[in-house]
């Protein structure tokens, strides 16, 4: 059925890969490029011109008319400004395409309209984009034609990061440097680099495009602000891993094709827990490339969905009462000579380097649980964290039975003599093969779970960039490595020093380990007893960015300056206030112009019916009761609507970004809930034909 796809043929077709550079560049230039990619430094001006020309020729051969520096401003999404490869015509009027090394390496978009959190007054609009040579350039096919996209970092005139990529790259360098010290201490003198690998799993919803266009809330805010629960939700658990519907399958096929062409190693696809919800997971890559690719994935999902007359919702909670969407940030550290520092092997108790790395990570996560939680905060995610289906807003680490046992031995005796084994899986069916089980079962409720040879940070929101979570993770682990290496490098007896530190770190930070049910109320109380932070909202989390502890950490490892942290914090406050403001105004609009008029019309009809029925000499109490109920809910709606309008008006007078954000959280959001509740009740009372927009059932089951 349909068109067939040859993965081997199309993979990377739209990417200017290392392989293509090898084919198209003079040997010496190619070598220079590889050495910069692997070891850092800068390309010479001449080589940059040669690379730019080869890149342009390749792009033009593939139909590209424009190029753009593709960057990730603090809006959390990507930005691009297209320039044609047009040069000045020669004397015969023939146009010669051109693209110089300078244009490849440096761009100067007018930066004044991107969020900068006070870093750059609008009159100092200069911002620079600079080529991230480690993330390959690619061709984007869209309505505008084919565009060569050059992944870049975005900085202000004074060198402050105005984007998400720059701090990520800085954090990768920091953790590389400190992790190398650790592996050297453990006797590895071959490795020259420790890479951060990241595999993001992406959840999303698909709904019918035409229906979505009938809902202002989806159009303006990406989520529903009204909507009663349909009779069927996810309780039958029949959607998870269910057979993929034909129209969704066709979308997935096209999506895969587009992503493979862009060199995104997208591998796994399945239906998720909620109706209309799906997941995509690529194979892990180096952190900055994985983060870039995740942006490409999100953007491509939206574009391909439109071609299939569907809308892709990346919001963390598009439907109240239905599972929300997240992103699992699978993270590990691998040396360039092929050792995954998080691989315990079969007998973790004997793998001292692994245990030591683990102890450092426990220390990092416990010391900076507040910052890690902050790194996954965004407005939409506030609906998820702490709600039923998602990990709570409390950071804890799941190690599993095997490692927990090893840690326990280490804490009690200072040595771990044994490792629990998984044993054989027995099904009781003679024709099914027996195999060795994993030593540990999974725990889906943990926000930070050890999953075999990596950690899986499950708090990140589905629409968020993966940059912040990985930047924070890299930096806090760099600090733990650094502090450990400072001690070990001076130790007279290395083995003894490792032994002591292992015991000390595991003992001091064991409170962060939790293997139980993270969704239970009991855990919230237990975490409180253990003194673990439970930071409920994005804006409370933003406060953690500028504590003395945070500033010292990020400045020490050159990841953020104090000014950069302050600016990011301010952007979070601003963004929060703007988002809730748009949501509140959308609710006011939908309630005033759609729901209330529709209900009034229906109620009027019902009132006339009551009179007619009575006139006919028959009992009209059923109709009259129904009418009364409707009027009661309508009155509640009207009251909440008036209150929402007046709170909105108050908000307009607040100028301090932090105060404004907290005002929206504490005063506007609760009234939004008060407005929604009677509206959702009314949806259940009013004739479906009179309801002014598609319902949850229409969106989720008939998409
Ligand atoms: P699950 O989470 O269901 O166990 P997988 O084992 O397939 O799923 O892994 C999920 C993601 O983790 C994938 O993107 C995968 O590439 C990634 N992953 C696997 N190993 C590593 C690693 N060493 N470092 C980072 N990510 C990894
Ligand atoms: Mg997973």
């Amino acid at each position: 059925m349909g068109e067939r796809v040859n993965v081997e043929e199309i993979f990377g077709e739209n990417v200017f890969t290392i392989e293509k550079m090898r084919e198209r560049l003079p040997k010496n230039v190619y070598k220079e490029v590889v050495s910069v990619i692997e070891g850092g430094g800068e390309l010479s001006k001449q080589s940059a011109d040669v690379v730019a020309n080869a890149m342009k020729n390749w792009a033009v051969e593939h139909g590209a008319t424009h190029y753009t520096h593709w960057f990730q401003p603090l809006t959390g999404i990507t930005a691009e400004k297209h320039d044609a490869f047009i040069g000045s015509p020669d004397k015969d009027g023939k146009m010669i395409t051109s693209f110089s090394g300078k244009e490849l390496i440096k761009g100067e978009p007018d930066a004044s309209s991107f969020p900068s959190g006070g870093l750059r007054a609008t009159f100092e609009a200069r911002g620079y984009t600079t080529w991230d040579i480690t993330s390959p350039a690619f061709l984007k096919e869209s309505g505008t034609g084919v565009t060569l996209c050059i992944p870049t970092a975005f900085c202000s005139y004074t060198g402050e990061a105005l984007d998400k990529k720059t701090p990520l790259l800085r954090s990768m360098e920091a953790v590389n440097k400190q992790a190398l010290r650790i592996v050297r201490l453990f006797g590895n003198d071959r490795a020259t680099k420790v890479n951060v690998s990241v595999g993001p799993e992406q959840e999303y919803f698909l709904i019918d495009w035409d229906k979505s266009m009938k809902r202002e809330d989806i159009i303006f805010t990406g989520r529903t602000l009204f909507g009663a629960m349909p009779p069927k939700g996810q309780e039958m658990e029949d959607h998870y891993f269910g057979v993929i519907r034909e129209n969704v399958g066709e979308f997935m096929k096209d999506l895969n094709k587009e992503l493979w062409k862009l060199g995104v190693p997208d591998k796994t696809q399945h239906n998720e827990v909620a109706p209309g919800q799906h997941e995509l997971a690529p194979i892990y890559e180096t952190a900055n490339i994985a983060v870039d690719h995740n942006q490409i994935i999100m953007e491509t999902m939206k574009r391909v969905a439109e071609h299939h007359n569907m809308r892709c919702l990346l919001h963390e909670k598009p439907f109240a009462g239905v599972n929300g969407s997240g992103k699992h940030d699978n993270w590990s550290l691998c040396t360039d000579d092929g050792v995954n520092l998080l691989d315990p092997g079969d007998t973790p108790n004997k793998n001292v380097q692994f245990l030591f790395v683990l102890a450092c990570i426990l220390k990092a996560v416990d010391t900076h649980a507040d910052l890690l939680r902050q790194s996954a905060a965004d407005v939409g995610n506030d609906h998820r964290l702490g709600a039923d289906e998602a990990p709570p807003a409390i950071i804890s680490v799941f190690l599993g039975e095997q490692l927990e046992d090893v840690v326990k031995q280490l804490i009690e005796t200072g040595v771990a003599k044994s490792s629990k084994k998984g044993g054989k899986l027995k099904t009781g069916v003679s024709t099914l093969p027996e195999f060795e089980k994993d030593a540990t079962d999974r725990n889906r409720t943990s926000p930070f779970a050890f999953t075999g040879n990596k950690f899986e940070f499950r708090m990140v929101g589905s629409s968020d960039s993966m940059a912040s979570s990985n930047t924070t993770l890299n930096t806090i682990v760099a600090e733990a490595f650094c502090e450990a290496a400072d001690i070990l490098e001076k130790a007279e007896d290395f083995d003894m020093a490792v032994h002591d530190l292992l015991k000390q770190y595991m003992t001091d930070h064991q409170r962060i380990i939790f293997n139980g049910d993270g969704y239970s109320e009991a855990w919230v109380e237990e975490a409180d007893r253990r003194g673990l932070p439970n930071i409920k909202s994005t804006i409370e989390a933003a406060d953690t960015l500028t504590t003395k502890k945070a500033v010292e950490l990020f400045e020490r490892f050159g990841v953020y300056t104090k000014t950069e942290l302050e600016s990011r914090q301010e952007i979070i406050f601003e963004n929060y206030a703007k988002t809730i403001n748009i949501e509140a105004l959308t609710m006011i609009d939908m309630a005033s112009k759609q729901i209330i008029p529709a209900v009034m019309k229906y109620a009027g009809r019902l009132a006339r019916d009551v009179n007619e029925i009575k006139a006919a000499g028959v009992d009209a109490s059923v109709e009259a009761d129904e009418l009364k109920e409707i009027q009661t809910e309508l009155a509640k709606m009207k009251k909440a609507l008036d209150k929402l309008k007046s709170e909105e008006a108050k908000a307009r007078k607040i100028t301090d970004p932090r105060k404004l954000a907290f005002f929206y959280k504490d005063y506007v959001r609760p009234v939004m809930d008060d407005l929604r509740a009677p509206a959702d009740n009314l949806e259940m009372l009013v004739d479906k034909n009179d309801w002014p927009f598609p319902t949850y059932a229409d969106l989720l089951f008939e998409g």
Side-chain angles (χ1 to χ4, degrees), residues 197-201 281-284 330-332 340 442 453-454 456:
S197 34
V198 167
E201 301 164 60
I283 294 174
Y284 66 92
N330 292 277
W331 177 95
S332 76
N340 178 351
R442 287 166 178 259
N453 60 0
K454 60 184 173 3
E456 187 169 337

Side-chain angles (χ1 to χ4, degrees), residues 675-689:
L675 177 59
R676 178 178 180 143
D680 291 357
N681 291 339
L682 282 164
E683 190 193 315
M684 303 302 289
L685 295 168
V686 171
D687 186 338
K688 178 157 168 48
N689 295 317

Side-chain angles (χ1 to χ4, degrees), residues 471-490:
T471 302
T472 300
L473 207 42
N474 295 342
T475 313
I476 63 177
V477 171
E479 181 192 59
F481 283 162
C482 175
E483 288 171 359
D486 285 348
I487 297 170
L488 293 183
E489 280 165 3
K490 284 194 220 102

Side-chain angles (χ1 to χ4, degrees), residues 64-86:
T65 54
H66 290 71
Y67 72 91
T68 180
H69 276 197
W70 185 75
F71 58 105
Q72 301 171 24
L74 296 170
T75 51
I77 53 175
T78 60
E80 48 193 72
K81 180 185 86 176
H82 299 179
D83 280 302
F85 288 120
I86 300 264

